Amino acid sequence: MGYGRSDSYRVATSQDKDGKSSPSKKNKKGKDMDELKKEVPITEHKMSIEECCRKFNTDIVQGLTNAKAAEFLIRDGPNCLTPPPTTPEWIKFCRQLFGGFSILLWTGAILCFLAYAIQAATEDEPAGDNLYLGIVLSVVVVVTGCFSYFQEAKSSKIMESFKNMVPQQALVIREGEKMTINAEEVVAGDLVEVKGGDRIPADLRVVSAHGCKVDNSSLTGESEPQSRSPDCTHDNPLETRNVAFFSTNCVEGTARGIVVCTGDRTVMGRIATLTSGLESGKTPIAKEIEHFIHLITGVAVFLGITFFILAVCLGYTWLEAVIFLIGIIVANVPEGLLATVTVCLTLTAKRMAKKNCLVKNLEAVETLGSTSTICSDKTGTLTQNRMTVAHMWFDNQIHEADTTEDQSGASFDKTSASWAALARVAALCNRAVFKAGQDQLPILKRDTAGDASESALLKCIELSCGSVKQIREKNKKVAEIPFNSTNKYQLSVHETEDPNDNRYLLVMKGAPERILDRCTTIIIQGKEQPMDEEMKESFQNAYMELGGLGERVLGFCHLLMPEDQYPKGFAFDCDDVNFTTESLCFVGLMSMIDPPRAAVPDAVGKCRSAGIKVIMVTGDHPITAKAIAKGVGIISEGNETVEDIASHHTGSRSANSLCSLMFPLLSLSDAKACVIHGTDLKELSQDQMDDILRNHTEIVFARTSPQQKLIIVEGCQRLGAIVAVTGDGVNDSPALKKADIGVAMGISGSDVSKQAADMILLDDNFASIVTGVEEGRLIFDNLKKSIAYTLTSNIPEITPFLLFIIVNIPLPLGTITILCIDLGTDMVPAISLAYEAAESDIMKRQPRNPTRDKLVNERLISIAYGQIGMIQALGGFFSYFVILAENGFLPSILVGIRLNWDDRACNDLEDSYGQQWTYEQRKIVEFTCHTAFFVSIVVVQWADVIVCKTRRNSVFQQGMKNKILIFGLFEETALAAFLSYTPGMDVALRMFPLKPSWWFCAVPYSVLIFVYDEIRKLLIRRNPGGKWLSLSLYNI
Amino acid sequence: MAKDAEKSTWKDTIWNPSTREFCGRTASSWGLILLFYLVFYIFLAGMFCLTMYVMLQTLDDHKPTWQDRLSTPGMMIRPRGDTMEINTHNTESWDMYIKTLDNFLSSYNNSLQAEKNDKCPPDQYFIQADSGDVKNNPKRSCQFNRSLLQECSGLDDHTYGYQAGKPCIIIKLNRVIGMLPGKDGKAPFVTCGAKRYKVGKDEWKEDSDKIGEVAYYPENGAFNLMYYPYYGKKAQVNYSQPLVAIKFLNITLNEDINIECRIISNNIPPGSERDKFAGKVSFKLRINTKQ
């Protein structure tokens, strides 16, 4: 059981690395990283205490001298983790300012300035449009950048609040004196004393211990506290009993140890450094936006070049053609989309925060929605991280205890006298007590002092039999032998409840087989019966069954001591046992487990129906892991693991050796589930690993090291999955960082894991992930709709300019009005689409395939640009022609009129009726046309926002329940009216009041859009997967 | 290795020989798309034509629906341009102006006017009302004889005074259908004066003392009411736009003079400040006498 699987890890990642980084960088960085991935270099556990003292120039009694300690402190530096390199705020800000979508807008702005510069250099009175457009684009990017920067800053502030600001103290012995110092000042060689409740200040080689147990769960994932003693029990420093690790907790007892590593050199420190050295890839939404930019740029450049060539052919000068080229490219930039996307993501992030998912990085909002694999830690995420009594065996029968958090589960028959006896033993032979002042809390939520199993028993008895305190008061304790690893039992002697009965009651609990050995009788239905072979066999069966469930089983027995041998006042001597501990009466078994959280099985089921593979990756033992996996549905009911099948085939093999059977049986394709042990994982080649991940739908990895978790995540990513990792411990943090989205636990999570994660579950509940998935999928769908909506209006914005160039008509739509649409009227409706409800049960479909299901694909562009956009453009042009015609310029004379129209010196331009117009007079008509075109776009966008609401469903099926959208409709209309009718707008924005009839010009086109799209959706619903329909019609 | 795979897929996305797909679609699939778009666009074009047709049906043939932007008619000068610089000794500097004026005035030749247009009773509107739905078309127009411009008609002085340094400028008022430019029988007239122009920040200047005497033809520079109203080019094919000519009799020589002419009428609202040609026209004149 090695810790660092350096070899296999290198195989797993070397190819990956070659592709990415330059050789020189790779060598330097790679060396550091490999170093971190190597075996933990602690060897002190194998040394004798004396050797150890010699190595650190310390004394087992006196500790270091103060001078030495100071010297070591200077040599090694303070005993704390180097915080991960924080990105300076200005870099974060620049990332917001120049990342992803912003680049497109910056390019647009620069092109605008370039075009203006060309115009300024060549023309006397350059039109300011390009200058204004460039400025507006820059402002939009900066404002949106600031907005998302502050959004993320807010999240990170909440993050900061998690940090434990209380400085840790440590009790060290220097020059023979005990002194409390800041944990940062602890140095290698220091003699440190820890007691229950302390956090271990550094990696310690234990030199003496008294009932010391440490909670290693944040490092190894083991849910049970591990006892510590001075003896080396394992070659692997992580497994041996005589090393206690930095930042784990001492649960009970006391221990003294020599510090062997401090700060970043500790096991914990190495994992933290490994984590901060990892680089996480781009988020899926960032990739989607990149793809979108490529598409949009493609369309823009294609249009630009086409019309550049056309313009040159039409006889424009090169410079004019270049200005047109830039104008067309810039016109394709959807100015408002950056803000829309940011606001949509922010809204979702807020909604998720309300549901206890705190998102650190806005883009990560969507990632959960794309997730196809969740690698979940067990302890604390899937389970409650609290030992609870799960089963009991008495009266030759297994009874199930209620393990749910809210006591909603099944109860068992409590009337049996055997149960009363068992409850009494469990209550009395138990040192755990509730901490004071928690009477108002539900029993399961109360804090206890004592061993995890004893606390579990305490709570169980308190729940089912009432106050344990009273039982204990009635049965005064006379003597006690605490648990130790040689006896493997715990014993206490009590007075009986009945004051007339002077006998003493001996109660004992411990390892079941040891207890059984001491028993000659057994209680059945409250009556003592001799222990016969049949009974022993049924005990064995029960013991095996409960053990097979991954539960920790304890045996209980008691004895009412004969009054003649042990009269009242008998002096029980616990050190030199002067009373019988044999021929006891067996009462029953109780088994405990860290039970799954109540909501988890349901959540796992939802993930499964949503097509998400849930993999358990835990540091805990395979049997426990498998039991929990079965309990929460990660291994579904009826599915047998490879090992189960193997054991059926081979018959006799015990479940414990399941892992060694793995390899020859990998070909067993009928096994969907498998449990893989860390030791086996070490042996796997990359291909075998891929095979496992590909061929098994239900996988549990047990006894995995942090590095292996990383390999598993990388394996999944290699197969194209988008991986979410949940975890709370330090051991999870490298995987959290490497994952597409790392989800840390807000309450129980370690700081390191929260640093590495992208998202934090504030309630530590795995079920919140399902919410995250749902919200993520919804926002992906809704972003599609928002983008489709926003992009559509691009066509009515570009075509006027194109026709202006090609057929020389007066410009139908100006830059200012375009900006009014993109940054004004389109904004609220586009954002309101983020509030749209899902069309179908989004949790019932497969996760999107990141290579196929793009945010914006050719079909979306084809519908938005080629179909709806074209109808919109016609609507706009229609109002343009109406206004010009009603003012005297019939369409027939418009073609080619542009040169005279835009000539300031021509002040008697003749219209179709023979009237003559000054420059200013016809320009007012032109700007009225711009206003009308703008209003027409608003009118057709009404229909567009309604058709964009749904992708498949009819609006009549979906309904108009989105209140924000209805508000958006009114808002854009009001804004359009405001811009048109407010006095002074003619000077400020060159927008003029419209005659009421001009508002209705585009209405037929609006209706057409609605009808057309309803027909399109009807066809999609009628012909699902119809090939040629799907070409141009299906899917936006 | 990964790169190679990527390359081939990239190539395949353009032309995949195994499936005979171009950009991910087969020829027939592309054909269907093109067919769809063809039908779709033909339908759209039809729809557009239909709405345009309906809209054109609502229009009146003789009068545009809206004329509110033309309440103040524009004014223009002939020869065109906002700066005229001539040299009395250099024929070439004014030759083109003369040609322009000759050309412009040719349609006002007395013979042509007499042939095409009627003599109308002066000083009153020449109203030719329609009787209900029956259009009284074509409508007749009044004669505007070139000779009315007298000194500036180019008949006697074919250089329009340019050679003598006393140039003629012809002013016209833009045609607006149905416009009645004066009420109570008072005809609108043109008056020219100095234009205030900016020479520095908050510093204005005008050249009123340098303009000298200005002669107006016809008398008072008035547009006779009989030329109004205008009935549109369809109904009133031979309409002759009335003109006013001004002649600068002793303008200061060898200097830039800024001149502004306005229409004075009791029925025409003053144009907006933004529009420099509504109801007024301005230009710069410089007459050089030095060689």
Side-chain angles (χ1 to χ4, degrees), chain A residues 862 866-867 886 907-908 910 913-916 918 921 995 1005 1031, chain B residues 25 37 41 51 60 66-68 72 172 174-175 177 233 241 275 277:
Chain A
S862 150
Q867 297 162 31
E886 291 193 345
N907 282 297
D908 52 356
E910 204 175 303
Y913 290 90
Q915 306 187 100
Q916 291 169 318
T918 69
Q921 284 165 347
K995 312 274 179 217
Y1005 294 89
L1031 300 174
Chain B
R25 299 186 189 285
Y37 271 102
Y41 287 149
T51 50
D60 190 307
W66 307 104
Q67 287 183 295
D68 48 347
T72 309
K172 66 191 184 78
N174 278 353
R175 293 194 293 262
I177 292 176
K233 73 174 175 190
Q241 205 169 356
D275 193 346
F277 294 91

mmCIF file of all heavy atoms in Angstrom, chain A residues 862 866-867 886 907-908 910 913-916 918 921 995 1005 1031, chain B residues 25 37 41 51 60 66-68 72 172 174-175 177 233 241 275 277:
data_model
loop_
_atom_site.group_PDB
_atom_site.id
_atom_site.type_symbol
_atom_site.label_atom_id
_atom_site.label_comp_id
_atom_site.label_asym_id
_atom_site.label_seq_id
_atom_site.Cartn_x
_atom_site.Cartn_y
_atom_site.Cartn_z
ATOM 1 N N SER A 862 -27.755 29.688 -38.654
ATOM 2 C CA SER A 862 -28.563 29.605 -39.874
ATOM 3 C C SER A 862 -29.982 30.089 -39.616
ATOM 4 O O SER A 862 -30.555 30.821 -40.425
ATOM 5 C CB SER A 862 -28.551 28.152 -40.364
ATOM 6 O OG SER A 862 -29.735 27.840 -41.033
ATOM 7 N N GLY A 866 -30.171 33.435 -41.115
ATOM 8 C CA GLY A 866 -30.722 33.143 -42.439
ATOM 9 C C GLY A 866 -32.227 33.219 -42.504
ATOM 10 O O GLY A 866 -32.787 33.476 -43.571
ATOM 11 N N GLN A 867 -32.903 32.958 -41.386
ATOM 12 C CA GLN A 867 -34.359 32.890 -41.463
ATOM 13 C C GLN A 867 -35.037 34.021 -40.698
ATOM 14 O O GLN A 867 -35.576 34.943 -41.295
ATOM 15 C CB GLN A 867 -34.822 31.503 -40.975
ATOM 16 C CG GLN A 867 -34.274 30.397 -41.887
ATOM 17 C CD GLN A 867 -34.318 29.024 -41.266
ATOM 18 O OE1 GLN A 867 -35.181 28.706 -40.479
ATOM 19 N NE2 GLN A 867 -33.376 28.187 -41.626
ATOM 20 N N GLU A 886 -44.038 57.874 -48.166
ATOM 21 C CA GLU A 886 -45.064 58.795 -47.678
ATOM 22 C C GLU A 886 -44.544 60.227 -47.617
ATOM 23 O O GLU A 886 -45.318 61.169 -47.578
ATOM 24 C CB GLU A 886 -45.586 58.348 -46.313
ATOM 25 C CG GLU A 886 -46.383 57.054 -46.431
ATOM 26 C CD GLU A 886 -47.194 56.720 -45.203
ATOM 27 O OE1 GLU A 886 -46.958 57.321 -44.121
ATOM 28 O OE2 GLU A 886 -48.066 55.854 -45.314
ATOM 29 N N ASN A 907 -29.155 71.322 -52.236
ATOM 30 C CA ASN A 907 -30.263 71.679 -51.366
ATOM 31 C C ASN A 907 -31.571 71.796 -52.121
ATOM 32 O O ASN A 907 -32.525 72.401 -51.637
ATOM 33 C CB ASN A 907 -29.958 72.974 -50.618
ATOM 34 C CG ASN A 907 -29.009 72.712 -49.469
ATOM 35 O OD1 ASN A 907 -29.344 71.992 -48.544
ATOM 36 N ND2 ASN A 907 -27.804 73.251 -49.573
ATOM 37 N N ASP A 908 -31.610 71.241 -53.349
ATOM 38 C CA ASP A 908 -32.875 71.218 -54.060
ATOM 39 C C ASP A 908 -33.069 69.866 -54.718
ATOM 40 O O ASP A 908 -33.403 69.745 -55.878
ATOM 41 C CB ASP A 908 -32.956 72.342 -55.100
ATOM 42 C CG ASP A 908 -31.746 72.335 -56.015
ATOM 43 O OD1 ASP A 908 -30.834 71.507 -55.788
ATOM 44 O OD2 ASP A 908 -31.709 73.139 -56.957
ATOM 45 N N GLU A 910 -34.733 66.676 -55.842
ATOM 46 C CA GLU A 910 -36.116 66.517 -56.240
ATOM 47 C C GLU A 910 -36.631 65.139 -55.846
ATOM 48 O O GLU A 910 -35.942 64.132 -56.005
ATOM 49 C CB GLU A 910 -36.221 66.695 -57.758
ATOM 50 C CG GLU A 910 -37.584 67.120 -58.198
ATOM 51 C CD GLU A 910 -37.591 67.406 -59.694
ATOM 52 O OE1 GLU A 910 -36.807 68.250 -60.140
ATOM 53 O OE2 GLU A 910 -38.376 66.757 -60.394
ATOM 54 N N TYR A 913 -42.372 63.480 -56.490
ATOM 55 C CA TYR A 913 -43.508 64.354 -56.804
ATOM 56 C C TYR A 913 -43.070 65.676 -57.392
ATOM 57 O O TYR A 913 -43.892 66.523 -57.685
ATOM 58 C CB TYR A 913 -44.328 64.622 -55.540
ATOM 59 C CG TYR A 913 -45.077 63.400 -55.045
ATOM 60 C CD1 TYR A 913 -44.490 62.531 -54.155
ATOM 61 C CD2 TYR A 913 -46.371 63.155 -55.499
ATOM 62 C CE1 TYR A 913 -45.174 61.418 -53.703
ATOM 63 C CE2 TYR A 913 -47.063 62.045 -55.055
ATOM 64 C CZ TYR A 913 -46.464 61.182 -54.163
ATOM 65 O OH TYR A 913 -47.148 60.087 -53.732
ATOM 66 N N GLY A 914 -41.752 65.871 -57.490
ATOM 67 C CA GLY A 914 -41.266 67.133 -58.020
ATOM 68 C C GLY A 914 -40.969 68.165 -56.951
ATOM 69 O O GLY A 914 -40.551 69.271 -57.258
ATOM 70 N N GLN A 915 -41.165 67.828 -55.706
ATOM 71 C CA GLN A 915 -40.815 68.763 -54.636
ATOM 72 C C GLN A 915 -39.299 68.781 -54.467
ATOM 73 O O GLN A 915 -38.609 67.838 -54.845
ATOM 74 C CB GLN A 915 -41.459 68.349 -53.320
ATOM 75 C CG GLN A 915 -42.953 68.156 -53.403
ATOM 76 C CD GLN A 915 -43.534 67.908 -52.033
ATOM 77 O OE1 GLN A 915 -44.068 68.809 -51.422
ATOM 78 N NE2 GLN A 915 -43.410 66.687 -51.561
ATOM 79 N N GLN A 916 -38.824 69.857 -53.879
ATOM 80 C CA GLN A 916 -37.375 69.962 -53.704
ATOM 81 C C GLN A 916 -37.019 70.034 -52.229
ATOM 82 O O GLN A 916 -37.715 70.667 -51.449
ATOM 83 C CB GLN A 916 -36.853 71.191 -54.445
ATOM 84 C CG GLN A 916 -36.941 71.008 -55.947
ATOM 85 C CD GLN A 916 -36.677 72.288 -56.690
ATOM 86 O OE1 GLN A 916 -37.153 73.342 -56.287
ATOM 87 N NE2 GLN A 916 -35.936 72.198 -57.774
ATOM 88 N N THR A 918 -34.059 70.403 -49.079
ATOM 89 C CA THR A 918 -32.707 70.782 -48.665
ATOM 90 C C THR A 918 -32.065 69.578 -48.004
ATOM 91 O O THR A 918 -32.723 68.609 -47.644
ATOM 92 C CB THR A 918 -32.728 71.942 -47.658
ATOM 93 O OG1 THR A 918 -33.282 71.469 -46.434
ATOM 94 C CG2 THR A 918 -33.535 73.102 -48.161
ATOM 95 N N GLN A 921 -33.471 68.921 -44.524
ATOM 96 C CA GLN A 921 -34.842 68.397 -44.560
ATOM 97 C C GLN A 921 -34.860 66.907 -44.858
ATOM 98 O O GLN A 921 -35.536 66.124 -44.193
ATOM 99 C CB GLN A 921 -35.668 69.144 -45.620
ATOM 100 C CG GLN A 921 -36.102 70.526 -45.173
ATOM 101 C CD GLN A 921 -36.590 71.384 -46.335
ATOM 102 O OE1 GLN A 921 -36.382 71.032 -47.498
ATOM 103 N NE2 GLN A 921 -37.206 72.514 -46.022
ATOM 104 N N LYS A 995 -44.906 58.937 -36.737
ATOM 105 C CA LYS A 995 -46.361 58.936 -36.838
ATOM 106 C C LYS A 995 -46.848 57.600 -36.292
ATOM 107 O O LYS A 995 -46.204 56.568 -36.536
ATOM 108 C CB LYS A 995 -46.805 59.064 -38.302
ATOM 109 C CG LYS A 995 -46.106 60.157 -39.059
ATOM 110 C CD LYS A 995 -46.785 61.493 -38.881
ATOM 111 C CE LYS A 995 -46.022 62.556 -39.660
ATOM 112 N NZ LYS A 995 -45.989 63.843 -38.959
ATOM 113 N N TYR A 1005 -44.690 41.400 -40.279
ATOM 114 C CA TYR A 1005 -43.468 40.604 -40.238
ATOM 115 C C TYR A 1005 -43.301 39.945 -38.878
ATOM 116 O O TYR A 1005 -42.810 38.821 -38.763
ATOM 117 C CB TYR A 1005 -42.263 41.465 -40.610
ATOM 118 C CG TYR A 1005 -42.348 41.900 -42.048
ATOM 119 C CD1 TYR A 1005 -42.999 43.068 -42.412
ATOM 120 C CD2 TYR A 1005 -41.825 41.087 -43.051
ATOM 121 C CE1 TYR A 1005 -43.121 43.438 -43.736
ATOM 122 C CE2 TYR A 1005 -41.934 41.447 -44.382
ATOM 123 C CZ TYR A 1005 -42.584 42.623 -44.722
ATOM 124 O OH TYR A 1005 -42.698 42.960 -46.031
ATOM 125 N N LEU A 1031 -31.527 19.662 -40.857
ATOM 126 C CA LEU A 1031 -30.452 20.448 -41.444
ATOM 127 C C LEU A 1031 -30.641 21.915 -41.141
ATOM 128 O O LEU A 1031 -29.768 22.588 -40.625
ATOM 129 C CB LEU A 1031 -30.428 20.263 -42.961
ATOM 130 C CG LEU A 1031 -30.221 18.841 -43.418
ATOM 131 C CD1 LEU A 1031 -30.360 18.763 -44.905
ATOM 132 C CD2 LEU A 1031 -28.867 18.363 -42.978
ATOM 133 N N ARG B 25 -21.958 17.516 -44.695
ATOM 134 C CA ARG B 25 -23.242 17.192 -45.325
ATOM 135 C C ARG B 25 -22.984 16.606 -46.706
ATOM 136 O O ARG B 25 -22.046 16.989 -47.389
ATOM 137 C CB ARG B 25 -24.108 18.439 -45.497
ATOM 138 C CG ARG B 25 -24.451 19.103 -44.210
ATOM 139 C CD ARG B 25 -25.423 20.232 -44.459
ATOM 140 N NE ARG B 25 -25.607 21.030 -43.268
ATOM 141 C CZ ARG B 25 -26.314 20.636 -42.224
ATOM 142 N NH1 ARG B 25 -26.886 19.461 -42.231
ATOM 143 N NH2 ARG B 25 -26.438 21.399 -41.169
ATOM 144 N N TYR B 37 -33.831 27.159 -48.736
ATOM 145 C CA TYR B 37 -33.604 28.601 -48.650
ATOM 146 C C TYR B 37 -34.151 29.323 -49.875
ATOM 147 O O TYR B 37 -34.664 30.436 -49.760
ATOM 148 C CB TYR B 37 -32.116 28.901 -48.442
ATOM 149 C CG TYR B 37 -31.762 28.926 -46.977
ATOM 150 C CD1 TYR B 37 -31.128 27.858 -46.379
ATOM 151 C CD2 TYR B 37 -32.102 30.026 -46.182
ATOM 152 C CE1 TYR B 37 -30.832 27.876 -45.028
ATOM 153 C CE2 TYR B 37 -31.802 30.044 -44.842
ATOM 154 C CZ TYR B 37 -31.175 28.973 -44.262
ATOM 155 O OH TYR B 37 -30.897 29.001 -42.933
ATOM 156 N N TYR B 41 -36.781 32.154 -49.395
ATOM 157 C CA TYR B 41 -36.535 33.543 -49.789
ATOM 158 C C TYR B 41 -37.508 34.016 -50.857
ATOM 159 O O TYR B 41 -37.895 35.182 -50.873
ATOM 160 C CB TYR B 41 -35.074 33.721 -50.233
ATOM 161 C CG TYR B 41 -34.109 33.695 -49.076
ATOM 162 C CD1 TYR B 41 -32.814 33.218 -49.221
ATOM 163 C CD2 TYR B 41 -34.492 34.150 -47.799
ATOM 164 C CE1 TYR B 41 -31.933 33.185 -48.150
ATOM 165 C CE2 TYR B 41 -33.622 34.115 -46.736
ATOM 166 C CZ TYR B 41 -32.348 33.634 -46.910
ATOM 167 O OH TYR B 41 -31.490 33.616 -45.849
ATOM 168 N N THR B 51 -46.614 43.475 -49.379
ATOM 169 C CA THR B 51 -46.799 44.593 -48.444
ATOM 170 C C THR B 51 -46.438 45.911 -49.113
ATOM 171 O O THR B 51 -47.111 46.920 -48.904
ATOM 172 C CB THR B 51 -45.948 44.410 -47.174
ATOM 173 O OG1 THR B 51 -44.609 44.115 -47.562
ATOM 174 C CG2 THR B 51 -46.492 43.303 -46.295
ATOM 175 N N ASP B 60 -51.186 58.740 -52.605
ATOM 176 C CA ASP B 60 -51.831 59.609 -53.590
ATOM 177 C C ASP B 60 -50.822 59.866 -54.702
ATOM 178 O O ASP B 60 -49.637 60.045 -54.446
ATOM 179 C CB ASP B 60 -52.206 60.921 -52.900
ATOM 180 C CG ASP B 60 -53.078 61.787 -53.770
ATOM 181 O OD1 ASP B 60 -52.698 62.053 -54.936
ATOM 182 O OD2 ASP B 60 -54.127 62.211 -53.273
ATOM 183 N N TRP B 66 -47.187 63.005 -46.369
ATOM 184 C CA TRP B 66 -46.699 63.935 -45.339
ATOM 185 C C TRP B 66 -45.840 65.014 -45.988
ATOM 186 O O TRP B 66 -45.041 64.738 -46.863
ATOM 187 C CB TRP B 66 -45.862 63.202 -44.297
ATOM 188 C CG TRP B 66 -46.549 62.017 -43.705
ATOM 189 C CD1 TRP B 66 -46.305 60.721 -43.992
ATOM 190 C CD2 TRP B 66 -47.590 62.017 -42.750
ATOM 191 N NE1 TRP B 66 -47.125 59.911 -43.282
ATOM 192 C CE2 TRP B 66 -47.937 60.674 -42.500
ATOM 193 C CE3 TRP B 66 -48.291 63.038 -42.076
ATOM 194 C CZ2 TRP B 66 -48.937 60.300 -41.605
ATOM 195 C CZ3 TRP B 66 -49.280 62.672 -41.184
ATOM 196 C CH2 TRP B 66 -49.601 61.318 -40.956
ATOM 197 N N GLN B 67 -46.064 66.253 -45.532
ATOM 198 C CA GLN B 67 -45.219 67.350 -46.029
ATOM 199 C C GLN B 67 -44.681 68.179 -44.897
ATOM 200 O O GLN B 67 -44.160 69.266 -45.091
ATOM 201 C CB GLN B 67 -46.034 68.248 -46.964
ATOM 202 C CG GLN B 67 -46.317 67.606 -48.304
ATOM 203 C CD GLN B 67 -47.054 68.553 -49.207
ATOM 204 O OE1 GLN B 67 -48.193 68.912 -48.913
ATOM 205 N NE2 GLN B 67 -46.413 68.983 -50.273
ATOM 206 N N ASP B 68 -44.834 67.655 -43.664
ATOM 207 C CA ASP B 68 -44.502 68.482 -42.498
ATOM 208 C C ASP B 68 -43.024 68.837 -42.427
ATOM 209 O O ASP B 68 -42.646 69.777 -41.744
ATOM 210 C CB ASP B 68 -44.971 67.802 -41.211
ATOM 211 C CG ASP B 68 -44.558 66.342 -41.141
ATOM 212 O OD1 ASP B 68 -44.134 65.798 -42.179
ATOM 213 O OD2 ASP B 68 -44.661 65.746 -40.059
ATOM 214 N N THR B 72 -40.940 74.941 -44.268
ATOM 215 C CA THR B 72 -40.138 76.075 -44.737
ATOM 216 C C THR B 72 -39.390 75.623 -45.985
ATOM 217 O O THR B 72 -38.497 74.789 -45.897
ATOM 218 C CB THR B 72 -39.115 76.494 -43.675
ATOM 219 O OG1 THR B 72 -39.786 76.666 -42.445
ATOM 220 C CG2 THR B 72 -38.417 77.779 -44.073
ATOM 221 N N LYS B 172 -33.840 80.833 -56.284
ATOM 222 C CA LYS B 172 -35.121 80.162 -56.464
ATOM 223 C C LYS B 172 -35.563 79.559 -55.151
ATOM 224 O O LYS B 172 -34.764 79.241 -54.286
ATOM 225 C CB LYS B 172 -35.040 79.099 -57.562
ATOM 226 C CG LYS B 172 -34.146 77.934 -57.260
ATOM 227 C CD LYS B 172 -33.941 77.103 -58.519
ATOM 228 C CE LYS B 172 -33.130 75.864 -58.266
ATOM 229 N NZ LYS B 172 -33.889 74.795 -57.635
ATOM 230 N N ASN B 174 -37.493 76.461 -53.306
ATOM 231 C CA ASN B 174 -37.788 75.054 -53.606
ATOM 232 C C ASN B 174 -39.278 74.827 -53.810
ATOM 233 O O ASN B 174 -40.118 75.428 -53.132
ATOM 234 C CB ASN B 174 -37.301 74.152 -52.477
ATOM 235 C CG ASN B 174 -35.817 73.847 -52.602
ATOM 236 O OD1 ASN B 174 -35.184 74.200 -53.611
ATOM 237 N ND2 ASN B 174 -35.265 73.216 -51.601
ATOM 238 N N ARG B 175 -39.557 73.934 -54.726
ATOM 239 C CA ARG B 175 -40.955 73.597 -55.008
ATOM 240 C C ARG B 175 -41.515 72.748 -53.882
ATOM 241 O O ARG B 175 -40.896 71.776 -53.429
ATOM 242 C CB ARG B 175 -41.047 72.790 -56.299
ATOM 243 C CG ARG B 175 -40.688 73.530 -57.551
ATOM 244 C CD ARG B 175 -41.135 72.754 -58.764
ATOM 245 N NE ARG B 175 -40.406 71.504 -58.942
ATOM 246 C CZ ARG B 175 -39.359 71.388 -59.776
ATOM 247 N NH1 ARG B 175 -38.935 72.422 -60.489
ATOM 248 N NH2 ARG B 175 -38.754 70.241 -59.900
ATOM 249 N N ILE B 177 -45.360 71.022 -53.010
ATOM 250 C CA ILE B 177 -46.710 70.875 -53.549
ATOM 251 C C ILE B 177 -47.714 71.541 -52.628
ATOM 252 O O ILE B 177 -47.710 71.352 -51.409
ATOM 253 C CB ILE B 177 -47.047 69.392 -53.748
ATOM 254 C CG1 ILE B 177 -46.170 68.825 -54.866
ATOM 255 C CG2 ILE B 177 -48.524 69.185 -54.054
ATOM 256 C CD1 ILE B 177 -46.328 67.371 -55.114
ATOM 257 N N LYS B 233 -45.237 67.302 -60.223
ATOM 258 C CA LYS B 233 -44.704 67.195 -61.580
ATOM 259 C C LYS B 233 -45.557 66.337 -62.483
ATOM 260 O O LYS B 233 -45.475 66.405 -63.692
ATOM 261 C CB LYS B 233 -43.260 66.687 -61.573
ATOM 262 C CG LYS B 233 -43.063 65.222 -61.247
ATOM 263 C CD LYS B 233 -41.573 64.894 -61.448
ATOM 264 C CE LYS B 233 -41.282 63.481 -61.035
ATOM 265 N NZ LYS B 233 -39.859 63.198 -60.987
ATOM 266 N N GLN B 241 -40.701 77.303 -62.387
ATOM 267 C CA GLN B 241 -40.431 77.805 -61.057
ATOM 268 C C GLN B 241 -40.084 79.285 -61.136
ATOM 269 O O GLN B 241 -39.231 79.666 -61.938
ATOM 270 C CB GLN B 241 -39.238 77.027 -60.511
ATOM 271 C CG GLN B 241 -39.151 76.958 -59.038
ATOM 272 C CD GLN B 241 -38.103 75.937 -58.638
ATOM 273 O OE1 GLN B 241 -37.505 75.251 -59.468
ATOM 274 N NE2 GLN B 241 -37.878 75.843 -57.347
ATOM 275 N N ASP B 275 -30.909 74.126 -40.197
ATOM 276 C CA ASP B 275 -30.989 74.052 -41.658
ATOM 277 C C ASP B 275 -30.615 75.398 -42.263
ATOM 278 O O ASP B 275 -31.359 76.361 -42.169
ATOM 279 C CB ASP B 275 -32.401 73.629 -42.070
ATOM 280 C CG ASP B 275 -32.425 73.238 -43.537
ATOM 281 O OD1 ASP B 275 -31.449 73.545 -44.254
ATOM 282 O OD2 ASP B 275 -33.416 72.618 -43.955
ATOM 283 N N PHE B 277 -30.429 76.225 -45.228
ATOM 284 C CA PHE B 277 -31.001 76.514 -46.547
ATOM 285 C C PHE B 277 -32.517 76.582 -46.543
ATOM 286 O O PHE B 277 -33.135 76.659 -47.578
ATOM 287 C CB PHE B 277 -30.526 75.472 -47.562
ATOM 288 C CG PHE B 277 -29.052 75.559 -47.816
ATOM 289 C CD1 PHE B 277 -28.153 74.820 -47.058
ATOM 290 C CD2 PHE B 277 -28.556 76.416 -48.793
ATOM 291 C CE1 PHE B 277 -26.794 74.931 -47.284
ATOM 292 C CE2 PHE B 277 -27.204 76.515 -49.012
ATOM 293 C CZ PHE B 277 -26.309 75.775 -48.258
#
